[in-house]
Amino acid sequence: MAANEPGGRSARKHQAIMEAATAAFMAKGYAGTSMDDIAKLATVSKQTVYKHFADKEKLFAEIVLATTDRVDAMIDLVAGIPTDADADALEEHLLRLARQFLTALTQPQVLQLRRLIIANADTFPDLGAAWYEQGFERVLATLAATFQRLADQGLLRIDDPLLAANHFSGMLLWIPVNRAMFHGGPQHTQAELDHYADEGVRVFLAAYR
């Protein structure tokens, strides 16, 4: 907490700096963003920015790792698939999961953040690894555990649940995410996302049911 500032005021400044830095890094990249840029966007002094964050690297790391909390809702969604459903109900649950999963992971800011982290992976390999492990890898682990429970109930035939989780997510994300990465932003419509989700579930069940 910055010295001589009431807790509420300091917290608001901290949040303002975080939001300004996120916008700046997204727009200009890590190398192209200065602490002066962030201070101007946050409407605080550069000295205030340094009171809250020792340097640009620590600010970037906090912004990146803060976003991993967003996967909690996705984990709850994955873990919530009932294991006592019949075959038709299972397909319905997987379709709902696939559509929500795909929509959440192709939001413009999520795609921008992904590009930003990949662009700086050589400079900050540990940060990139931490973001993956605390974010998407947690989702995959939960998905794998859910698939294992479904297999234990006889609803799926799976020898390697983590590989199956990667197959499931890969079929959903490959087209829209790769198109977005190379074009610099989303290139899909919601109807296309729904189509990728529906076809991904159909192919997944053809292989694993």
Side-chain angles (χ1 to χ4, degrees):
M1 183 180 295
N4 302 319
E5 288 187 10
R9 184 182 176 195
S10 180
R12 287 193 297 273
K13 285 188 177 182
H14 190 93
Q15 184 60 32
I17 293 167
M18 290 275 288
E19 291 174 0
T22 300
F25 287 137
M26 293 288 194
K28 298 182 178 182
Y30 178 82
T33 298
S34 69
M35 294 294 256
D36 281 318
D37 295 331
I38 294 166
K40 288 176 183 176
L41 278 175
T43 62
V44 299
S45 68
K46 187 163 72 170
Q47 182 182 19
T48 297
V49 175
Y50 279 111
K51 282 182 180 179
H52 286 264
F53 300 95
D55 53 42
K56 188 172 75 167
E57 181 178 340
K58 287 184 173 57
L59 176 52
F60 182 63
E62 182 161 339
I63 286 169
V64 168
L65 294 179
T67 64
T68 61
D69 291 340
R70 299 176 187 174
V71 306
D72 290 345
M74 184 63 62
I75 288 174
D76 290 342
L77 182 68
V78 171
I81 297 177
T83 57
D84 57 352
D86 59 25
D88 290 338
L90 173 61
E91 184 169 358
E92 181 182 337
H93 290 307
L94 289 179
L95 284 170
R96 186 181 304 112
L97 169 65
R99 289 192 175 201
Q100 293 177 309
F101 187 85
L102 193 48
T103 298
L105 294 178
T106 55
Q107 291 296 312
Q109 191 176 38
V110 175
L111 293 171
Q112 280 183 302
L113 181 65
R114 181 188 179 97
R115 293 179 72 237
L116 182 63
I117 293 168
I118 291 171
N120 292 280
D122 288 340
T123 306
F124 306 115
D126 292 342
L127 179 60
W131 185 79
Y132 180 79
E133 291 164 4
Q134 295 177 31
F136 193 57
E137 195 166 63
R138 286 171 57 207
V139 176
L140 287 173
T142 304
L143 188 59
T146 299
F147 285 164
Q148 182 62 65
R149 290 198 303 272
L150 292 168
D152 292 342
Q153 293 295 319
L155 294 170
L156 294 175
R157 294 182 296 105
I158 292 177
D159 295 324
D160 186 337
L162 184 57
L163 183 59
N166 276 276
H167 285 164
F168 182 84
S169 59
M171 285 190 291
L172 301 180
L173 296 170
W174 177 263
I175 296 173
V177 169
N178 276 299
R179 287 175 66 188
M181 291 299 100
F182 287 104
H183 285 85
Q187 303 295 307
H188 52 260
T189 65
Q190 186 61 49
E192 287 175 324
L193 290 184
D194 289 345
H195 177 66
Y196 300 146
D198 295 350
E199 286 301 297
V201 169
R202 183 184 66 80
V203 174
F204 179 81
L205 288 176
Y208 286 107
R209 185 155 62 182

